[in-house]
Amino acid sequence: MAQDELTAEELERQKQRRRAAMATPVAEDGDVAFGGMAGIGVLAAVLAALFAFFGFADTAGLESGTASDSADTTVAVETDDGVTDGVDLASMLGTLQQAGFEGLELVADGGVVTARGEVPDQAARAEVLRLIGEQPNVTEVIDRLVVEEVEVPSAAAVVTVSDDEIVLSGTVPSDAAAGELRSFAAANYAPDQLTDQLEVVDGADPATVSLVGSVTNSELGANLQAGLGSLGAFGEATDELVIDADASEEINAVFELEPILFQSGTAIILPDSQATIDEASEILKRFPEANIEIGGHTDSLGPEEANRLLSEARAQAVLQALRDAGVTNQLQAVGYGESELKFPDDKGDTQDKIDARQANRRIEFRTLN
């Protein structure tokens, strides 16, 4: 027998070795592989078990496309004949467009119609679903519509003030609100002191208004703050006004125009000066925490000590008049006599000297705190 010829017995042994190899795992680089048809069967069984474990065994129910995270809202529609086929999407879209609804997407599956797209509000959403449900052969409407988020503009006005100017700026929700602010400005400032930069934004949210700036006149500041609180067209009013005023400075400004007059050589206040006393008392009531010194002054005529005593008596008379007018501030009267002359007034009868002596005879206020 030739060397390359095999006996029947040897051929049978080779077949048995091949069968064993096909049914036995073969290690390759540390992994386990399966040879032959038996290996394929084992691998298929392993894959089937993995798919079942991770929930991939049944994919028949998966839908194509992108699904909404929220549950579908459905509207059941009954038909007389139960027909679910033959939905005319083109006609349906035309009906929606005629009603003003553009950009919607409709998908039909038999008599079930899914609606997608954006609508401006809930009322529009309900109308779209109603129109679809009324179409022939529609048995159910699946709502995948999204309501648009419409940003409503807000209105914010700013009133910036100083002693001699008012600026209206920002936005207001209506012409009525703008008119109210302009009236507010006119009540406190002259027309040539107003700068109007207001913009009307119709349909804006209830407006806010802010009062900012600084004034040195307490009466003006009080009027501005009171007027701000009475603006009815604004949902919120913010008062950031700074009143940088001094009670004594305001009162002295009044005295410059309307000095307190006394009977000659006495501390008796003349009746004509009662209006000045009343005005001074109103100013002090706006500064209840102010500690005020009332200083009396005379001219240089007469004995120095007599002038000091007279000036002190006159200051005390003014203090008492303010108390009678309801002033509760801490007050003190001081007599300076001729020690703080505003103008030289030595002897002489010229008009300049007469005017100087009259100016030196005065009451002055000073804020101590």
Side-chain angles (χ1 to χ4, degrees), residues 204-242:
D205 279 341
T208 63
V209 59
S210 299
L211 176 63
V212 300
S214 174
V215 295
T216 60
N217 185 296
S218 63
E219 182 178 10
L220 173 60
N223 290 340
L224 289 170
Q225 290 173 326
L228 179 71
S230 64
L231 294 174
F234 297 87
E236 180 182 349
T238 303
D239 180 5
E240 299 178 6
L241 178 66
V242 176

PDB file of all heavy atoms in Angstrom, residues 204-242:
ATOM      1  N   ALA A 204     -48.523  95.622  26.940  1.00  0.00           N
ATOM      2  CA  ALA A 204     -47.456  95.204  27.847  1.00  0.00           C
ATOM      3  C   ALA A 204     -48.040  94.837  29.207  1.00  0.00           C
ATOM      4  O   ALA A 204     -49.173  95.192  29.542  1.00  0.00           O
ATOM      5  CB  ALA A 204     -46.425  96.317  28.000  1.00  0.00           C
ATOM      6  N   ASP A 205     -47.253  94.099  29.963  1.00  0.00           N
ATOM      7  CA  ASP A 205     -47.662  93.742  31.317  1.00  0.00           C
ATOM      8  C   ASP A 205     -47.862  95.004  32.153  1.00  0.00           C
ATOM      9  O   ASP A 205     -47.346  96.068  31.801  1.00  0.00           O
ATOM     10  CB  ASP A 205     -46.587  92.872  31.974  1.00  0.00           C
ATOM     11  CG  ASP A 205     -46.695  91.422  31.535  1.00  0.00           C
ATOM     12  OD1 ASP A 205     -47.765  91.040  31.041  1.00  0.00           O
ATOM     13  OD2 ASP A 205     -45.712  90.682  31.684  1.00  0.00           O
ATOM     14  N   PRO A 206     -48.611  94.880  33.274  1.00  0.00           N
ATOM     15  CA  PRO A 206     -48.764  96.054  34.155  1.00  0.00           C
ATOM     16  C   PRO A 206     -47.421  96.693  34.443  1.00  0.00           C
ATOM     17  O   PRO A 206     -46.457  96.032  34.808  1.00  0.00           O
ATOM     18  CB  PRO A 206     -49.385  95.444  35.418  1.00  0.00           C
ATOM     19  CG  PRO A 206     -50.152  94.275  34.914  1.00  0.00           C
ATOM     20  CD  PRO A 206     -49.335  93.721  33.773  1.00  0.00           C
ATOM     21  N   ALA A 207     -47.376  98.004  34.258  1.00  0.00           N
ATOM     22  CA  ALA A 207     -46.095  98.705  34.257  1.00  0.00           C
ATOM     23  C   ALA A 207     -45.580  98.969  35.658  1.00  0.00           C
ATOM     24  O   ALA A 207     -46.320  98.987  36.640  1.00  0.00           O
ATOM     25  CB  ALA A 207     -46.246 100.025  33.508  1.00  0.00           C
ATOM     26  N   THR A 208     -44.283  99.204  35.723  1.00  0.00           N
ATOM     27  CA  THR A 208     -43.648  99.683  36.940  1.00  0.00           C
ATOM     28  C   THR A 208     -43.107 101.080  36.670  1.00  0.00           C
ATOM     29  O   THR A 208     -42.797 101.431  35.537  1.00  0.00           O
ATOM     30  CB  THR A 208     -42.496  98.763  37.377  1.00  0.00           C
ATOM     31  OG1 THR A 208     -41.481  98.770  36.357  1.00  0.00           O
ATOM     32  CG2 THR A 208     -42.986  97.344  37.592  1.00  0.00           C
ATOM     33  N   VAL A 209     -43.005 101.870  37.717  1.00  0.00           N
ATOM     34  CA  VAL A 209     -42.446 103.209  37.591  1.00  0.00           C
ATOM     35  C   VAL A 209     -41.498 103.435  38.759  1.00  0.00           C
ATOM     36  O   VAL A 209     -41.784 103.033  39.890  1.00  0.00           O
ATOM     37  CB  VAL A 209     -43.554 104.287  37.561  1.00  0.00           C
ATOM     38  CG1 VAL A 209     -44.404 104.253  38.815  1.00  0.00           C
ATOM     39  CG2 VAL A 209     -42.952 105.674  37.359  1.00  0.00           C
ATOM     40  N   SER A 210     -40.361 104.050  38.467  1.00  0.00           N
ATOM     41  CA  SER A 210     -39.362 104.330  39.495  1.00  0.00           C
ATOM     42  C   SER A 210     -39.097 105.828  39.540  1.00  0.00           C
ATOM     43  O   SER A 210     -38.944 106.467  38.494  1.00  0.00           O
ATOM     44  CB  SER A 210     -38.054 103.585  39.198  1.00  0.00           C
ATOM     45  OG  SER A 210     -38.265 102.187  39.194  1.00  0.00           O
ATOM     46  N   LEU A 211     -39.057 106.368  40.748  1.00  0.00           N
ATOM     47  CA  LEU A 211     -38.719 107.773  40.962  1.00  0.00           C
ATOM     48  C   LEU A 211     -37.283 107.831  41.463  1.00  0.00           C
ATOM     49  O   LEU A 211     -36.972 107.310  42.538  1.00  0.00           O
ATOM     50  CB  LEU A 211     -39.674 108.396  41.983  1.00  0.00           C
ATOM     51  CG  LEU A 211     -39.400 109.851  42.386  1.00  0.00           C
ATOM     52  CD1 LEU A 211     -39.531 110.784  41.190  1.00  0.00           C
ATOM     53  CD2 LEU A 211     -40.346 110.286  43.510  1.00  0.00           C
ATOM     54  N   VAL A 212     -36.404 108.453  40.682  1.00  0.00           N
ATOM     55  CA  VAL A 212     -34.989 108.512  41.037  1.00  0.00           C
ATOM     56  C   VAL A 212     -34.507 109.955  40.928  1.00  0.00           C
ATOM     57  O   VAL A 212     -35.168 110.816  40.353  1.00  0.00           O
ATOM     58  CB  VAL A 212     -34.138 107.603  40.121  1.00  0.00           C
ATOM     59  CG1 VAL A 212     -34.582 106.155  40.223  1.00  0.00           C
ATOM     60  CG2 VAL A 212     -34.216 108.069  38.673  1.00  0.00           C
ATOM     61  N   GLY A 213     -33.329 110.203  41.479  1.00  0.00           N
ATOM     62  CA  GLY A 213     -32.753 111.539  41.429  1.00  0.00           C
ATOM     63  C   GLY A 213     -32.621 112.132  42.816  1.00  0.00           C
ATOM     64  O   GLY A 213     -32.800 111.450  43.837  1.00  0.00           O
ATOM     65  N   SER A 214     -32.325 113.420  42.854  1.00  0.00           N
ATOM     66  CA  SER A 214     -32.091 114.099  44.125  1.00  0.00           C
ATOM     67  C   SER A 214     -32.606 115.529  44.045  1.00  0.00           C
ATOM     68  O   SER A 214     -32.443 116.202  43.022  1.00  0.00           O
ATOM     69  CB  SER A 214     -30.591 114.095  44.448  1.00  0.00           C
ATOM     70  OG  SER A 214     -30.321 114.851  45.604  1.00  0.00           O
ATOM     71  N   VAL A 215     -33.241 115.978  45.122  1.00  0.00           N
ATOM     72  CA  VAL A 215     -33.692 117.366  45.226  1.00  0.00           C
ATOM     73  C   VAL A 215     -33.239 117.918  46.570  1.00  0.00           C
ATOM     74  O   VAL A 215     -33.054 117.170  47.538  1.00  0.00           O
ATOM     75  CB  VAL A 215     -35.226 117.482  45.090  1.00  0.00           C
ATOM     76  CG1 VAL A 215     -35.682 117.053  43.702  1.00  0.00           C
ATOM     77  CG2 VAL A 215     -35.939 116.661  46.147  1.00  0.00           C
ATOM     78  N   THR A 216     -33.072 119.215  46.617  1.00  0.00           N
ATOM     79  CA  THR A 216     -32.666 119.861  47.867  1.00  0.00           C
ATOM     80  C   THR A 216     -33.814 120.600  48.528  1.00  0.00           C
ATOM     81  O   THR A 216     -33.648 121.158  49.610  1.00  0.00           O
ATOM     82  CB  THR A 216     -31.517 120.862  47.609  1.00  0.00           C
ATOM     83  OG1 THR A 216     -31.963 121.871  46.693  1.00  0.00           O
ATOM     84  CG2 THR A 216     -30.302 120.156  47.031  1.00  0.00           C
ATOM     85  N   ASN A 217     -34.970 120.599  47.880  1.00  0.00           N
ATOM     86  CA  ASN A 217     -36.152 121.252  48.432  1.00  0.00           C
ATOM     87  C   ASN A 217     -37.065 120.188  49.022  1.00  0.00           C
ATOM     88  O   ASN A 217     -37.577 119.322  48.309  1.00  0.00           O
ATOM     89  CB  ASN A 217     -36.878 122.039  47.332  1.00  0.00           C
ATOM     90  CG  ASN A 217     -38.055 122.830  47.874  1.00  0.00           C
ATOM     91  OD1 ASN A 217     -39.019 122.260  48.362  1.00  0.00           O
ATOM     92  ND2 ASN A 217     -37.978 124.145  47.768  1.00  0.00           N
ATOM     93  N   SER A 218     -37.262 120.239  50.320  1.00  0.00           N
ATOM     94  CA  SER A 218     -38.038 119.193  50.982  1.00  0.00           C
ATOM     95  C   SER A 218     -39.498 119.207  50.555  1.00  0.00           C
ATOM     96  O   SER A 218     -40.140 118.156  50.469  1.00  0.00           O
ATOM     97  CB  SER A 218     -37.936 119.345  52.497  1.00  0.00           C
ATOM     98  OG  SER A 218     -38.490 120.582  52.918  1.00  0.00           O
ATOM     99  N   GLU A 219     -40.048 120.389  50.289  1.00  0.00           N
ATOM    100  CA  GLU A 219     -41.445 120.459  49.862  1.00  0.00           C
ATOM    101  C   GLU A 219     -41.623 119.806  48.502  1.00  0.00           C
ATOM    102  O   GLU A 219     -42.565 119.031  48.284  1.00  0.00           O
ATOM    103  CB  GLU A 219     -41.914 121.913  49.809  1.00  0.00           C
ATOM    104  CG  GLU A 219     -43.381 122.051  49.412  1.00  0.00           C
ATOM    105  CD  GLU A 219     -43.847 123.493  49.399  1.00  0.00           C
ATOM    106  OE1 GLU A 219     -42.994 124.400  49.516  1.00  0.00           O
ATOM    107  OE2 GLU A 219     -45.071 123.718  49.263  1.00  0.00           O
ATOM    108  N   LEU A 220     -40.707 120.086  47.576  1.00  0.00           N
ATOM    109  CA  LEU A 220     -40.762 119.450  46.262  1.00  0.00           C
ATOM    110  C   LEU A 220     -40.628 117.937  46.405  1.00  0.00           C
ATOM    111  O   LEU A 220     -41.369 117.170  45.780  1.00  0.00           O
ATOM    112  CB  LEU A 220     -39.652 119.995  45.367  1.00  0.00           C
ATOM    113  CG  LEU A 220     -39.471 119.313  44.009  1.00  0.00           C
ATOM    114  CD1 LEU A 220     -40.738 119.429  43.173  1.00  0.00           C
ATOM    115  CD2 LEU A 220     -38.277 119.893  43.268  1.00  0.00           C
ATOM    116  N   GLY A 221     -39.685 117.501  47.237  1.00  0.00           N
ATOM    117  CA  GLY A 221     -39.505 116.067  47.435  1.00  0.00           C
ATOM    118  C   GLY A 221     -40.744 115.399  47.999  1.00  0.00           C
ATOM    119  O   GLY A 221     -41.146 114.317  47.557  1.00  0.00           O
ATOM    120  N   ALA A 222     -41.374 116.052  48.983  1.00  0.00           N
ATOM    121  CA  ALA A 222     -42.584 115.486  49.584  1.00  0.00           C
ATOM    122  C   ALA A 222     -43.714 115.405  48.560  1.00  0.00           C
ATOM    123  O   ALA A 222     -44.463 114.422  48.513  1.00  0.00           O
ATOM    124  CB  ALA A 222     -43.005 116.327  50.784  1.00  0.00           C
ATOM    125  N   ASN A 223     -43.851 116.435  47.722  1.00  0.00           N
ATOM    126  CA  ASN A 223     -44.897 116.423  46.694  1.00  0.00           C
ATOM    127  C   ASN A 223     -44.653 115.326  45.663  1.00  0.00           C
ATOM    128  O   ASN A 223     -45.594 114.660  45.203  1.00  0.00           O
ATOM    129  CB  ASN A 223     -44.964 117.782  46.001  1.00  0.00           C
ATOM    130  CG  ASN A 223     -45.516 118.869  46.905  1.00  0.00           C
ATOM    131  OD1 ASN A 223     -46.189 118.583  47.896  1.00  0.00           O
ATOM    132  ND2 ASN A 223     -45.222 120.123  46.586  1.00  0.00           N
ATOM    133  N   LEU A 224     -43.396 115.126  45.284  1.00  0.00           N
ATOM    134  CA  LEU A 224     -43.072 114.075  44.320  1.00  0.00           C
ATOM    135  C   LEU A 224     -43.388 112.696  44.892  1.00  0.00           C
ATOM    136  O   LEU A 224     -43.954 111.838  44.208  1.00  0.00           O
ATOM    137  CB  LEU A 224     -41.596 114.159  43.934  1.00  0.00           C
ATOM    138  CG  LEU A 224     -41.185 115.348  43.058  1.00  0.00           C
ATOM    139  CD1 LEU A 224     -39.667 115.439  42.962  1.00  0.00           C
ATOM    140  CD2 LEU A 224     -41.797 115.238  41.665  1.00  0.00           C
ATOM    141  N   GLN A 225     -43.040 112.483  46.138  1.00  0.00           N
ATOM    142  CA  GLN A 225     -43.292 111.181  46.754  1.00  0.00           C
ATOM    143  C   GLN A 225     -44.785 110.924  46.919  1.00  0.00           C
ATOM    144  O   GLN A 225     -45.259 109.805  46.703  1.00  0.00           O
ATOM    145  CB  GLN A 225     -42.573 111.101  48.097  1.00  0.00           C
ATOM    146  CG  GLN A 225     -41.056 111.033  47.957  1.00  0.00           C
ATOM    147  CD  GLN A 225     -40.328 111.113  49.276  1.00  0.00           C
ATOM    148  OE1 GLN A 225     -40.767 111.790  50.207  1.00  0.00           O
ATOM    149  NE2 GLN A 225     -39.193 110.432  49.377  1.00  0.00           N
ATOM    150  N   ALA A 226     -45.532 111.956  47.280  1.00  0.00           N
ATOM    151  CA  ALA A 226     -46.980 111.792  47.413  1.00  0.00           C
ATOM    152  C   ALA A 226     -47.622 111.524  46.059  1.00  0.00           C
ATOM    153  O   ALA A 226     -48.518 110.676  45.932  1.00  0.00           O
ATOM    154  CB  ALA A 226     -47.589 113.037  48.056  1.00  0.00           C
ATOM    155  N   GLY A 227     -47.166 112.234  45.031  1.00  0.00           N
ATOM    156  CA  GLY A 227     -47.717 112.027  43.696  1.00  0.00           C
ATOM    157  C   GLY A 227     -47.400 110.655  43.144  1.00  0.00           C
ATOM    158  O   GLY A 227     -48.222 110.044  42.444  1.00  0.00           O
ATOM    159  N   LEU A 228     -46.227 110.130  43.460  1.00  0.00           N
ATOM    160  CA  LEU A 228     -45.848 108.794  43.001  1.00  0.00           C
ATOM    161  C   LEU A 228     -46.822 107.747  43.532  1.00  0.00           C
ATOM    162  O   LEU A 228     -47.221 106.825  42.813  1.00  0.00           O
ATOM    163  CB  LEU A 228     -44.425 108.472  43.460  1.00  0.00           C
ATOM    164  CG  LEU A 228     -43.886 107.087  43.089  1.00  0.00           C
ATOM    165  CD1 LEU A 228     -43.623 107.000  41.596  1.00  0.00           C
ATOM    166  CD2 LEU A 228     -42.604 106.786  43.865  1.00  0.00           C
ATOM    167  N   GLY A 229     -47.220 107.891  44.774  1.00  0.00           N
ATOM    168  CA  GLY A 229     -48.125 106.921  45.375  1.00  0.00           C
ATOM    169  C   GLY A 229     -49.531 106.959  44.813  1.00  0.00           C
ATOM    170  O   GLY A 229     -50.302 106.017  45.009  1.00  0.00           O
ATOM    171  N   SER A 230     -49.880 108.034  44.110  1.00  0.00           N
ATOM    172  CA  SER A 230     -51.240 108.161  43.576  1.00  0.00           C
ATOM    173  C   SER A 230     -51.341 107.788  42.103  1.00  0.00           C
ATOM    174  O   SER A 230     -52.405 107.925  41.505  1.00  0.00           O
ATOM    175  CB  SER A 230     -51.740 109.598  43.769  1.00  0.00           C
ATOM    176  OG  SER A 230     -50.960 110.509  43.013  1.00  0.00           O
ATOM    177  N   LEU A 231     -50.248 107.313  41.499  1.00  0.00           N
ATOM    178  CA  LEU A 231     -50.281 106.921  40.088  1.00  0.00           C
ATOM    179  C   LEU A 231     -51.006 105.586  39.963  1.00  0.00           C
ATOM    180  O   LEU A 231     -50.502 104.547  40.362  1.00  0.00           O
ATOM    181  CB  LEU A 231     -48.858 106.815  39.530  1.00  0.00           C
ATOM    182  CG  LEU A 231     -48.071 108.133  39.460  1.00  0.00           C
ATOM    183  CD1 LEU A 231     -46.632 107.871  39.027  1.00  0.00           C
ATOM    184  CD2 LEU A 231     -48.736 109.112  38.508  1.00  0.00           C
ATOM    185  N   GLY A 232     -52.202 105.603  39.382  1.00  0.00           N
ATOM    186  CA  GLY A 232     -53.030 104.405  39.355  1.00  0.00           C
ATOM    187  C   GLY A 232     -52.778 103.470  38.194  1.00  0.00           C
ATOM    188  O   GLY A 232     -53.238 102.329  38.204  1.00  0.00           O
ATOM    189  N   ALA A 233     -52.065 103.922  37.157  1.00  0.00           N
ATOM    190  CA  ALA A 233     -51.879 103.096  35.957  1.00  0.00           C
ATOM    191  C   ALA A 233     -50.691 102.155  36.066  1.00  0.00           C
ATOM    192  O   ALA A 233     -50.378 101.454  35.110  1.00  0.00           O
ATOM    193  CB  ALA A 233     -51.707 103.999  34.736  1.00  0.00           C
ATOM    194  N   PHE A 234     -50.046 102.125  37.223  1.00  0.00           N
ATOM    195  CA  PHE A 234     -48.823 101.344  37.360  1.00  0.00           C
ATOM    196  C   PHE A 234     -48.981 100.302  38.457  1.00  0.00           C
ATOM    197  O   PHE A 234     -49.475 100.590  39.544  1.00  0.00           O
ATOM    198  CB  PHE A 234     -47.639 102.266  37.657  1.00  0.00           C
ATOM    199  CG  PHE A 234     -47.370 103.240  36.547  1.00  0.00           C
ATOM    200  CD1 PHE A 234     -48.028 104.457  36.500  1.00  0.00           C
ATOM    201  CD2 PHE A 234     -46.498 102.918  35.525  1.00  0.00           C
ATOM    202  CE1 PHE A 234     -47.812 105.348  35.464  1.00  0.00           C
ATOM    203  CE2 PHE A 234     -46.272 103.800  34.485  1.00  0.00           C
ATOM    204  CZ  PHE A 234     -46.930 105.014  34.451  1.00  0.00           C
ATOM    205  N   GLY A 235     -48.544  99.077  38.140  1.00  0.00           N
ATOM    206  CA  GLY A 235     -48.687  97.992  39.093  1.00  0.00           C
ATOM    207  C   GLY A 235     -47.764  98.110  40.281  1.00  0.00           C
ATOM    208  O   GLY A 235     -48.071  97.645  41.372  1.00  0.00           O
ATOM    209  N   GLU A 236     -46.615  98.745  40.086  1.00  0.00           N
ATOM    210  CA  GLU A 236     -45.638  98.867  41.167  1.00  0.00           C
ATOM    211  C   GLU A 236     -44.893 100.186  41.025  1.00  0.00           C
ATOM    212  O   GLU A 236     -44.471 100.554  39.928  1.00  0.00           O
ATOM    213  CB  GLU A 236     -44.647  97.703  41.116  1.00  0.00           C
ATOM    214  CG  GLU A 236     -43.579  97.740  42.193  1.00  0.00           C
ATOM    215  CD  GLU A 236     -42.598  96.588  42.077  1.00  0.00           C
ATOM    216  OE1 GLU A 236     -42.874  95.660  41.292  1.00  0.00           O
ATOM    217  OE2 GLU A 236     -41.555  96.623  42.758  1.00  0.00           O
ATOM    218  N   ALA A 237     -44.744 100.904  42.122  1.00  0.00           N
ATOM    219  CA  ALA A 237     -44.019 102.173  42.129  1.00  0.00           C
ATOM    220  C   ALA A 237     -42.865 102.071  43.121  1.00  0.00           C
ATOM    221  O   ALA A 237     -43.060 101.664  44.269  1.00  0.00           O
ATOM    222  CB  ALA A 237     -44.943 103.326  42.506  1.00  0.00           C
ATOM    223  N   THR A 238     -41.668 102.428  42.659  1.00  0.00           N
ATOM    224  CA  THR A 238     -40.469 102.355  43.494  1.00  0.00           C
ATOM    225  C   THR A 238     -39.947 103.761  43.754  1.00  0.00           C
ATOM    226  O   THR A 238     -39.690 104.515  42.812  1.00  0.00           O
ATOM    227  CB  THR A 238     -39.380 101.517  42.804  1.00  0.00           C
ATOM    228  OG1 THR A 238     -39.894 100.214  42.530  1.00  0.00           O
ATOM    229  CG2 THR A 238     -38.154 101.398  43.691  1.00  0.00           C
ATOM    230  N   ASP A 239     -39.794 104.100  45.026  1.00  0.00           N
ATOM    231  CA  ASP A 239     -39.324 105.430  45.415  1.00  0.00           C
ATOM    232  C   ASP A 239     -37.844 105.350  45.790  1.00  0.00           C
ATOM    233  O   ASP A 239     -37.492 104.803  46.832  1.00  0.00           O
ATOM    234  CB  ASP A 239     -40.153 105.945  46.593  1.00  0.00           C
ATOM    235  CG  ASP A 239     -39.716 107.341  47.043  1.00  0.00           C
ATOM    236  OD1 ASP A 239     -38.845 107.938  46.381  1.00  0.00           O
ATOM    237  OD2 ASP A 239     -40.249 107.822  48.060  1.00  0.00           O
ATOM    238  N   GLU A 240     -36.987 105.883  44.924  1.00  0.00           N
ATOM    239  CA  GLU A 240     -35.556 105.943  45.202  1.00  0.00           C
ATOM    240  C   GLU A 240     -35.072 107.396  45.256  1.00  0.00           C
ATOM    241  O   GLU A 240     -33.884 107.674  45.090  1.00  0.00           O
ATOM    242  CB  GLU A 240     -34.784 105.167  44.127  1.00  0.00           C
ATOM    243  CG  GLU A 240     -35.153 103.684  44.061  1.00  0.00           C
ATOM    244  CD  GLU A 240     -34.418 102.948  42.965  1.00  0.00           C
ATOM    245  OE1 GLU A 240     -33.537 103.568  42.319  1.00  0.00           O
ATOM    246  OE2 GLU A 240     -34.710 101.762  42.739  1.00  0.00           O
ATOM    247  N   LEU A 241     -36.001 108.313  45.495  1.00  0.00           N
ATOM    248  CA  LEU A 241     -35.666 109.734  45.527  1.00  0.00           C
ATOM    249  C   LEU A 241     -34.829 110.064  46.763  1.00  0.00           C
ATOM    250  O   LEU A 241     -35.126 109.612  47.872  1.00  0.00           O
ATOM    251  CB  LEU A 241     -36.949 110.562  45.532  1.00  0.00           C
ATOM    252  CG  LEU A 241     -36.773 112.080  45.614  1.00  0.00           C
ATOM    253  CD1 LEU A 241     -36.096 112.609  44.354  1.00  0.00           C
ATOM    254  CD2 LEU A 241     -38.112 112.765  45.829  1.00  0.00           C
ATOM    255  N   VAL A 242     -33.807 110.866  46.563  1.00  0.00           N
ATOM    256  CA  VAL A 242     -32.979 111.364  47.667  1.00  0.00           C
ATOM    257  C   VAL A 242     -33.337 112.833  47.899  1.00  0.00           C
ATOM    258  O   VAL A 242     -33.230 113.653  46.982  1.00  0.00           O
ATOM    259  CB  VAL A 242     -31.478 111.224  47.344  1.00  0.00           C
ATOM    260  CG1 VAL A 242     -30.642 111.845  48.458  1.00  0.00           C
ATOM    261  CG2 VAL A 242     -31.115 109.761  47.146  1.00  0.00           C
TER     262      VAL A 242
END
